Amino acid sequence: MKICMIGTGYVGLVSGTCFADLGNKVLCVDKDLKKISKLKKAISPIYEPGLDDLIKNNFRAKRLDFTDNIEKAVKDSQIIFICVGTPTKKGSNLVDLSQVYNVAKAISKYIKTYKVIVTKSTVPVTTGDEIERIIGNKVKRSLFDVISNPEFLREGEAIRDFKYPDRIVIGSNNKKIFKKMELLYEPLIKKGAKFFSTSRKGAELIKYASNAFLATKITFINEIANLCEEADINVEDISVGIGSDARIGSRFLRAGPAYGGSCFPKDTKGLVSIADKFKTNLSIVKSVIKSNHNRKMLLTKKVSKILNNKLKNKKITVLGVTFKANTDDMRESSALVLIPYLIKKGAKVTYYDPSGYKSDFKKNKNLKFEKTLIKACLGADLIIINTEWDEFKSIDFRKVVKKSNFKIYDMRNLYNPSELKKRNLKYYSIGR
Ligand code: UDX
């Protein structure tokens, strides 16, 4: 099929490239000319393992192209995906839909033959109604349908999550559309993906409810980890013990620092704002937001405790500063709270991240970025492991620190406490 993706961020670029890889002819549209010219050289503006090659292969095969010309994209496509950002409005739980509505206005100028307009961006319940109204101001109702097709891609695993989805969710108020979308996703359905159709508002809510539930699951095990630390229990035993129940499921039960990223924080707040609009109180989601926020400071205070509240002039190395491994994304990373706090307390902080230097910290004094793990760890009083990059999973601590007396705070439980105890290493972790 001939499709276009409007917006070439994580969602539009990964989905567009993967749709091309399924044999479709895909045009990715962005108004950022710098981004478009980089993409035309098959250079991905986002850090996503495997994406560069996939872009290169499909661009060369002429299944994938990039343009800033939205008129051409709309005219040449049967299906138009809206994949622009829907950030949280500063200081509120509300979702900023200005980019989505601007795209709706823009495409309505060029619809001359029947089109399917698909919101793939995460949009609050009833956004599809508003898009339909905006386009309907300019275009005959029989010439378009607006449907919802949320994505469930994780950063760092996005290509895999696209190619092997648990389910494909299509929300439409016009049953005719489901066949067309089933055809588009046929290669994935053949490999076992469940195709699930619902109302347009139903699909819009599924996305928020999905992310809010995953955030709830993580926050639950994080709070259980707090209890385990006080009761001298291993939280990983609890994760396995409860996760083995098929009704609970073992994934997303890894205790760690507060969850971050561009989605869980945004979508939990977005869901609360949707519920407020429908005068419904989502007390559990509200407490998840609060608990996760508090966790950032809780773990930062734990660092003070580990160093007997003597942080001044201590050399602290932070390994991994992004919100999780296999991404360069700093959005809502707990390191953005941890590092400034340690510096404020007088510590000398060094960080290393496999995805490179982070401009988020450029204003911080007493903070150094080292290009290698070995250089970052040399002479540290405390090593904090903040993300679960593979590179952090088998460190010979004594060899890299080259000091007799240092401590390790493993916020991702990458190591076995009894192993490290045998090697007389002072090791702290989460919920163990
Ligand atoms: C999430 C959803 O998983 C994805 O389906 C949706 O489309 C976008 O939002 P993402 O934010 O990329 O994906 O990352 P994810 O792997 O879900 O991790 C989110 C946060 O939860 C990270 O900070 C991660 O470290 C944390 N996490 C995840 C845990 O602390 N424990 C876990 O067991 C899993």
Side-chain angles (χ1 to χ4, degrees), residues 11 122 151-157 161 167 207 210-211 214-215 217-219 221-222 250-265 267 292 322-325 327 329 331-334 386-388 412:
V11 175
T122 302
E151 49 73 32
F152 302 98
L153 310 178
R154 289 168 295 158
E155 288 183 38
E157 319 270 345
D161 286 348
R167 77 302 200 190
K207 171 66 185 177
S210 194
N211 271 359
L214 291 169
K217 210 174 167 186
I218 293 165
T219 305
I221 201 66
N222 281 342
S250 59
R251 295 179 65 189
F252 281 62
L253 278 176
R254 293 190 319 275
Y259 63 73
S262 63
C263 297
F264 286 175
D267 294 349
N292 190 65
T322 52
F323 82 93
K324 66 169 186 172
T327 180
D329 197 341
R331 286 175 286 187
E332 302 281 335
S333 166
S334 44
N386 180 54
T387 50
E388 65 288 14
R412 296 292 182 164

Side-chain angles (χ1 to χ4, degrees), residues 373-374 377-379 383 395-402:
L373 182 145
I374 292 176
C377 292
L378 184 64
I383 305 269
I395 301 172
D396 183 343
F397 290 100
R398 283 200 196 292
K399 193 159 165 242
V400 293
V401 177
K402 293 189 173 39

Side-chain angles (χ1 to χ4, degrees), residues 157-193:
E157 319 270 345
I159 294 170
R160 189 209 154 281
D161 286 348
F162 183 96
K163 296 205 161 186
Y164 303 97
D166 290 330
R167 77 302 200 190
I168 293 148
V169 173
I170 302 293
S172 171
N173 302 342
N174 170 355
K175 303 254 170 297
K176 235 183 7 140
I177 307 290
F178 294 127
K179 261 278 134 301
K180 193 177 190 78
M181 296 306 283
E182 241 178 315
L183 210 59
L184 174 66
Y185 280 105
E186 192 181 20
L188 305 184
I189 296 165
K190 274 193 180 141
K191 282 192 287 182

Side-chain angles (χ1 to χ4, degrees), residues 115-296:
K115 307 286 175 190
V116 178
I117 318 288
V118 189
T119 50
K120 195 166 258 301
S121 302
T122 302
V123 293
V125 173
T126 74
T127 303
D129 303 346
E130 181 56 15
I131 293 171
E132 195 169 83
R133 194 191 59 75
I134 293 170
I135 298 178
N137 284 342
K138 287 245 174 51
V139 181
K140 251 187 345 171
R141 239 351 242 102
S142 58
L143 277 185
F144 72 99
D145 275 294
V146 178
I147 72 169
S148 166
N149 171 214
E151 49 73 32
F152 302 98
L153 310 178
R154 289 168 295 158
E155 288 183 38
E157 319 270 345
I159 294 170
R160 189 209 154 281
D161 286 348
F162 183 96
K163 296 205 161 186
Y164 303 97
D166 290 330
R167 77 302 200 190
I168 293 148
V169 173
I170 302 293
S172 171
N173 302 342
N174 170 355
K175 303 254 170 297
K176 235 183 7 140
I177 307 290
F178 294 127
K179 261 278 134 301
K180 193 177 190 78
M181 296 306 283
E182 241 178 315
L183 210 59
L184 174 66
Y185 280 105
E186 192 181 20
L188 305 184
I189 296 165
K190 274 193 180 141
K191 282 192 287 182
K194 180 178 166 45
F195 185 86
F196 176 68
S197 56
T198 179
S199 67
R200 184 167 63 201
K201 286 194 287 186
E204 289 168 339
L205 183 55
I206 285 169
K207 171 66 185 177
Y208 280 96
S210 194
N211 271 359
F213 186 79
L214 291 169
T216 303
K217 210 174 167 186
I218 293 165
T219 305
F220 177 80
I221 201 66
N222 281 342
E223 290 198 345
I224 293 291
N226 297 340
L227 170 59
C228 288
E229 287 180 12
E230 297 309 317
D232 192 18
I233 298 169
N234 185 334
V235 69
E236 291 180 335
D237 294 347
I238 311 309
S239 297
V240 172
I242 65 174
S244 312
D245 181 328
R247 294 170 301 173
I248 295 173
S250 59
R251 295 179 65 189
F252 281 62
L253 278 176
R254 293 190 319 275
Y259 63 73
S262 63
C263 297
F264 286 175
K266 164 176 78 75
D267 294 349
T268 42
K269 290 176 190 161
L271 183 54
V272 168
S273 71
I274 293 165
D276 289 348
K277 179 176 160 185
F278 290 96
K279 301 191 179 11
T280 307
N281 177 29
L282 297 183
S283 59
I284 295 173
V285 181
K286 284 177 184 168
S287 62
V288 164
I289 293 167
K290 192 157 176 290
S291 173
N292 190 65
H293 175 78
N294 295 340
R295 185 166 188 78
K296 294 185 181 179

Side-chain angles (χ1 to χ4, degrees), residues 298-401:
L298 181 80
L299 266 60
T300 301
K301 293 255 164 67
K302 173 85 188 279
V303 173
S304 286
K305 221 167 121 205
I306 290 170
L307 290 174
N308 309 313
N309 294 315
K310 294 191 183 78
L311 291 177
K312 198 157 178 41
N313 295 326
K314 282 286 187 311
K315 196 177 176 310
I316 300 177
T317 296
V318 179
L319 296 180
V321 289
T322 52
F323 82 93
K324 66 169 186 172
N326 301 314
T327 180
D328 65 350
D329 197 341
M330 288 293 292
R331 286 175 286 187
E332 302 281 335
S333 166
S334 44
L336 293 169
V337 171
L338 173 69
I339 289 182
Y341 176 88
L342 297 176
I343 292 169
K344 198 167 110 238
K345 291 286 178 190
K348 293 195 170 12
V349 184
T350 300
Y351 77 91
Y352 163 69
D353 191 292
S355 67
Y357 168 79
K358 298 290 171 269
S359 57
D360 308 68
F361 297 117
K362 65 176 182 292
K363 286 202 237 49
N364 293 98
K365 292 195 186 57
N366 280 335
L367 175 63
K368 209 161 149 236
F369 166 67
E370 285 292 358
K371 285 204 176 86
T372 66
L373 182 145
I374 292 176
K375 279 196 184 140
C377 292
L378 184 64
D381 297 303
L382 172 65
I383 305 269
I384 298 175
I385 301 175
N386 180 54
T387 50
E388 65 288 14
W389 287 92
D390 288 343
E391 193 180 344
F392 301 159
K393 292 178 179 169
S394 48
I395 301 172
D396 183 343
F397 290 100
R398 283 200 196 292
K399 193 159 165 242
V400 293
V401 177

